[in-house]
């Protein structure tokens, strides 16, 4: 069964209240079966605009991720986030690929993309063309299309999370000239945000 993911982008306006939120939300989400893949760490917004802080939480299924977000205890604690930060949050269905092995002691790296596709037929060659390039850097597509629901904020309709053996591998893959050539197809037929983020240690 494909996994499910809560993906969030957050800008903190009141650090003290937000710290209280983190202290309270973490045990709830972990208790509901969540696992942090991304939590803070270095990040680089390479296309579009995004909030300052990024999280990716993995659950055993899409339904489990949705249920965790709507859990009454979590929603009560989420009030602290609502009054201390601006957030964009969605739940996405996984692509049923395992995470790559890490590169030494380095945390994994991730590319997180939220895209609004204007012309699906013209966009398709980008999907076909980028895959072998990304695979060459050890990429695993853990979210790629599939079911999704935007729960807070405004994001595109297509969501992708690619895991790499390291943050450096994620950066190298994105900046590879062959990828940038294929990415021109995406840019011509969609708009969105792409973020490179370091995984949780």
């Amino acid at each position: 069964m494909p996994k499910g993911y809560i993906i969030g982008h957050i800008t903190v306006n009141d650090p003290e209240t937000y710290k209280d939120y983190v202290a309270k939300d973490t045990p709830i989400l972990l208790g509901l079966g969540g696992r942090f893949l991304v939590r803070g760490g270095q990040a680089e917004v390479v296309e579009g605009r995004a909030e300052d802080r990024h999280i990716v939480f993995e659950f055993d299924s899409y339904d489990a991720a949705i249920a965790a977000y709507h859990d009454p205890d979590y929603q009560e604690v989420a009030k602290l986030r609502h009054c201390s930060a601006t957030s964009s949050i969605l739940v996405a269905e996984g692509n049923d690929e395992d995470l790559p092995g890490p590169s030494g002691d380095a945390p994994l790296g991730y590319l997180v993309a939220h895209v609004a596709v204007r012309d699906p037929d013209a966009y398709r060659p980008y999907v076909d063309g980028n895959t072998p390039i990304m695979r060459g850097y050890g990429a695993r597509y853990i979210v790629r299309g599939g079911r999704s629901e935007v729960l807070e904020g405004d994001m595109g309709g297509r969501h992708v999370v690619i895991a790499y053996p390291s943050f450096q591998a994620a950066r190298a893959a994105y900046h590879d000239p062959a990828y940038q050539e294929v990415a021109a197809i995406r840019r011509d037929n969609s708009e969105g945000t792409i973020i490179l983020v370091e995984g949780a240690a």
Side-chain angles (χ1 to χ4, degrees), residues 49-60:
R49 298 174 63 185
E51 306 289 356
D52 298 334
R53 181 178 173 85
H54 314 285
I55 65 103
V56 178
F57 235 113
E58 182 182 75
F59 291 83
D60 286 340

Side-chain angles (χ1 to χ4, degrees), residues 9-191:
H9 308 290
I10 300 160
T11 296
V12 177
N13 305 311
D14 177 349
E16 288 306 311
T17 302
Y18 187 80
K19 191 183 301 182
D20 191 22
Y21 160 72
V22 170
K24 292 177 178 176
D25 94 299
T26 299
I28 294 171
L29 294 176
L30 293 177
L32 293 168
R35 298 170 292 278
F36 275 114
L37 297 187
V38 173
R39 189 181 195 184
Q42 61 180 318
E44 180 182 350
V45 180
V46 290
E47 294 186 31
R49 298 174 63 185
E51 306 289 356
D52 298 334
R53 181 178 173 85
H54 314 285
I55 65 103
V56 178
F57 235 113
E58 182 182 75
F59 291 83
D60 286 340
S61 69
Y62 180 81
D63 291 341
I66 286 277
Y69 175 84
H70 289 293
D71 180 83
D73 290 338
Y74 174 73
Q75 283 300 313
E76 184 63 29
V77 170
K79 293 175 183 176
L80 295 171
R81 175 170 52 76
H82 296 154
C83 70
S84 63
T86 56
S87 307
S88 297
I89 295 179
L90 67 90
V91 172
E93 183 175 44
N95 193 43
D96 217 14
E97 290 195 28
D98 292 330
L99 292 171
S103 176
D105 295 331
L108 298 182
Y110 296 85
L111 181 151
V112 180
H114 307 294
V115 181
V117 178
R118 291 190 296 271
D119 185 339
D121 291 336
Y123 187 87
R124 185 72 206 176
Y126 162 72
V127 175
D128 296 337
N130 86 74
T131 303
I133 300 167
M134 298 296 101
R135 295 284 193 208
Y137 288 89
R140 299 291 183 271
Y141 289 81
I142 62 171
V143 173
R144 193 176 201 182
R147 290 182 293 170
S148 64
E149 182 178 350
V150 176
L151 300 164
E152 300 180 28
D154 184 21
M155 302 189 205
R158 180 176 173 83
H159 310 286
V160 177
V161 179
I162 309 174
Y164 295 87
S166 67
F167 181 73
Q168 290 72 23
R171 289 191 82 253
Y174 175 82
H175 291 290
D176 185 304
Y179 172 72
Q180 286 299 315
E181 183 175 343
V182 172
I185 299 170
R186 172 175 51 74
R187 296 186 187 109
D188 286 345
N189 296 286
S190 69
E191 55 190 29

